[in-house]
Each structure stands twice: as C-alpha cells, then as structure tokens.
Amino acid sequence: LRQGLKIRVSARYRPDLAGFAPNFRSWRRILSKRPRGRRGRVILSVVAVPPAVLALLARQDGLITVEQAAERGVPERTLRGWTRDGWRRPAPRVYLAGGRRLTDRVRIRAAGLWAGDRGTVSRQAAAWWQGMLATAPARITVTVPRRLGLRGYPGVGVRRRDLDAADRRRVDGVWCTDAPLTVLETAIALPDGSAFLDRALQKHVRFEDLHQSYCRVVGAYGATRIADLLIAAADRADSA
C-alpha cells in the first residue's frame, strides 16, 4: 500500500471502524471515511501515522497539538493535509484523528491542550471532568494567568486570574481547578448551587478544604456568593 491510495467500499462500511489501524512495518495506517456519490459509497484514504503519534492519540482521546506532533516528526502542514482525510481541528492548533467523535470529553481535553500547562479548565467543565456533574456544560471556561494573551474560541471562554498552585491539579492529563475550588465555583454558577454543594460535601470534599480554598480567593469575583453558600452549608450541617 502507498500513502494516498484511495479505496472504494460500500455504504455498509461501519463508521466505528474508522480508527482501525493495521501494522505496515514501522508505520500504521489510519483509515478515515468520506461520503461520495449518490449511491452512498465512501472513500477510505490511507494516512501514514508514525507509531509515536498513534500512542499519544490513544492516551489523549484522539487529540494531538501542533507542538506535540512536531516533536514526533509530523509538521503542521502534514496535519493540515490530514484534514482532507477526516481529521478535524476542534481547537486552535489542536487536531482530532479521523474516525473520532467530538464528544464532551474530547471538547474539554481539546480546550485543556489548547491552553497548555499554564491554563486551567474551570467551573462546570472541571466539575464534569472530575466526576462531580452528570452533564458537561455547553460552554467551557479556561482560567489563564492575567498576562497570558490567549483569547477564547467558539464554545470556550477565557477567564484571567492568577490561581494559587494549591488550587490546580492535573487530572487524566488535563490541568483543572482542584476539587475544593471546582466545587465552590460550580456551586455559584448553578441554579441549585446549594444542593450541589451538599452533594459535593458528602462525596468529594471536606468543609475545611472548601474554607481554605475560599480564603485564597477572597476579593475575587463571586467570593461574596461563595461565602453565603458556605455559611448556609455550615448552618445546615449544625442543624442536622
């Protein structure tokens, strides 16, 4: 097989096999589908992907940044060429392998990869990523240092705040706000924030950790609302 070979198959081709990658010596091929013609046929384009890139894609839900690809011998112009064979760009300078669906998990990881090690997935997106919410938000919030000149893109908003190191943690390869700050920021963003806070206290965090996190953000936007929720939670615990 040669790179760029076109293979025509019937419409019965299973989309879930689009990421199938057989071995060809030291290279592998990822097959991606594109519909063609009135008969519902599709064309599979054979794309040569180095094993190091495949290994990273497996760890990152099918995602790779331009910088990561370059470190593994794949220049950006090659990534752009792969978009003709089913690859997509869910975030600036972040690519999704052909045959992969744009799930909530992929959206949030793409935002984290785009923001880099200095960015932090926050609020409801961080709560969902850490298993505190059943539904991922339609809009993802990423917190970046005040002097970092990142601007958001559709579906992703940027908040500028210098977070304390204690308020950040890496979860499954994505920098998120630590659990206590995630709970506090999510509670003030949800209509049923008090109920969410009570559930989080039962399953995910201790009240002492929430209070310490609150002390580190005193004066920031939303701190007054956070204080009100913490006082109410403490009152409910005392009366229980």
Side-chain angles (χ1 to χ4, degrees):
L1 290 176
R2 295 181 180 179
Q3 182 175 352
L5 176 65
K6 304 292 184 179
I7 306 173
R8 189 174 296 278
V9 299
S10 72
R12 293 180 178 272
Y13 172 75
R14 291 172 54 189
D16 58 296
L17 296 180
F20 174 69
N23 287 306
F24 294 100
R25 294 183 181 180
S26 61
W27 293 81
R28 292 184 180 181
R29 313 290 199 223
I30 285 185
L31 305 181
S32 58
K33 65 182 184 65
R34 288 190 292 178
R36 290 296 177 89
R38 296 180 179 180
R39 297 182 180 179
R41 293 182 176 180
V42 295
I43 291 178
L44 299 183
S45 299
V46 181
V47 179
V49 181
V53 172
L54 283 173
L56 185 63
L57 293 174
R59 295 196 304 270
Q60 295 188 161
D61 300 308
L63 293 165
I64 189 169
T65 67
V66 170
E67 292 76 16
Q68 290 172 335
E71 291 171 359
R72 290 158 179 82
V74 178
E76 184 176 5
R77 65 178 180 275
T78 301
L79 290 175
R80 289 197 299 266
W82 288 350
T83 60
R84 295 191 296 271
D85 298 299
W87 287 54
R88 289 181 284 177
R89 197 180 70 167
R93 300 180 67 78
V94 179
Y95 287 81
L96 177 64
R100 293 277 191 160
R101 295 189 303 115
L102 188 61
T103 62
D104 292 330
R105 183 175 177 85
V106 167
R107 290 193 304 113
I108 294 175
R109 186 183 290 279
L113 288 172
W114 165 75
D117 289 340
R118 298 181 66 189
T120 310
V121 174
S122 309
R123 296 178 179 169
Q124 292 102 309
W128 184 87
W129 191 261
Q130 297 178 67
M132 301 177 191
L133 284 178
T135 305
R139 184 171 177 81
I140 300 166
T141 300
V142 175
T143 302
V144 301
R146 297 183 185 277
R147 295 187 178 182
L148 189 63
L150 282 180
R151 295 182 180 274
Y153 58 90
V156 175
V158 168
R159 177 183 65 173
R160 303 191 185 281
R161 179 183 295 178
D162 295 324
L163 294 176
D164 190 284
D167 289 324
R168 303 179 71 227
R169 64 184 293 223
R170 199 178 186 96
V171 181
D172 195 13
V174 174
W175 280 105
C176 299
T177 46
D178 198 18
L181 183 57
T182 297
V183 169
L184 295 177
E185 294 189 330
T186 301
I188 64 173
L190 295 176
D192 59 342
S194 295
F196 170 79
L197 182 57
D198 289 342
R199 290 194 301 270
L201 283 167
Q202 294 172 6
K203 298 180 179 180
H204 302 288
V205 294
R206 301 182 307 163
F207 188 87
E208 294 78 7
D209 295 331
L210 290 179
H211 182 261
Q212 291 177 9
S213 182
Y214 162 72
C215 291
R216 290 192 290 269
V217 298
V218 168
Y221 176 80
T224 301
R225 175 62 176 152
I226 289 174
D228 293 340
L229 287 175
L230 285 177
I231 292 171
D235 290 343
R236 288 192 297 273
D238 290 340
S239 61

